[in-house]
Amino acid sequence: MNTITAEILAKTSPLESLNILIEGNNRFVSNLKFNRNFLSQIEETKNGQHPHAIVLSCMDSRTPIEHIFDQGIGDIFSIRIAGNIVTDEVIGSLEYACKLVGTKLILVLGHSQCGAITGACQEKKLGKLTNVLAKISPALETIKQREEWEEYSEKELISEVTKEHIIQSVRAIPRQSEVLKSLLEQDRIGIVGAHYDVSSGKVEILTQKFI
Ligand SMILES: [Zn+2]
């Protein structure tokens, strides 16, 4: 697997970037990871980086992004924060990647058994963690509007809120950033929501936004 150059990145479409990640996850769950020479990749990237995708995911120790997508050094940007929440700082990082570096895909990756989502569902309060959980509350409120929500088990509720939070995050990104909205409208980037199952290693694509 070659290290990504500026020329390769320029020719990569948002959909191709997504396919690179999907194929990488297929290799990961099949235990067929590429045997990369990291020392060579360090040498090849020492003067610059051209990552094709940026992944916003949780800090959970079971979601190591480069492993999950079988990506090498210089292949992807990674933002990891509890509950894969969207903040101004996260938006700024996405803008840097997509506008200044030319990254083609934003992937928001939530996951099963997420402590942050569980905490939000249980309406936990703790120091500044409360601020993190408040970013997940809108997804909980949306699920609570469903007539059947009170019949959900806690596990089902957490699962539904996890997926709703991913979808709301995908929608929030262009809404909160004129820079990214413009790139999306010009078809220069794509934004995708996906879910990672910590019990199988499999990534499921939930939503795609390619205008
Ligand atoms: Zn998590």
Side-chain angles (χ1 to χ4, degrees), residues 57-63 81-84 109-117:
S57 64
C58 186
M59 69 186 215
D60 195 291
S61 66
R62 297 163 295 178
T63 62
I81 185 166
N84 38 276
L109 187 70
H111 69 98
S112 59
Q113 295 185 31
C114 181
I117 301 284

Side-chain angles (χ1 to χ4, degrees), residues 82-99:
N84 38 276
I85 56 171
V86 176
T87 67
D88 280 354
E89 294 78 9
V90 166
I91 292 282
S93 303
L94 296 172
E95 289 176 343
Y96 169 76
C98 296
K99 183 73 178 182

Side-chain angles (χ1 to χ4, degrees), residues 99-118:
K99 183 73 178 182
L100 299 184
V101 179
T103 297
K104 301 303 172 77
L105 182 78
I106 297 170
L107 187 116
V108 178
L109 187 70
H111 69 98
S112 59
Q113 295 185 31
C114 181
I117 301 284
T118 302

Side-chain angles (χ1 to χ4, degrees), residues 91-92 94-95 172-183:
I91 292 282
L94 296 172
E95 289 176 343
I173 289 167
R175 226 180 262 157
Q176 292 181 26
S177 167
E178 283 301 320
V179 172
L180 297 170
K181 183 169 174 249
S182 168
L183 290 171

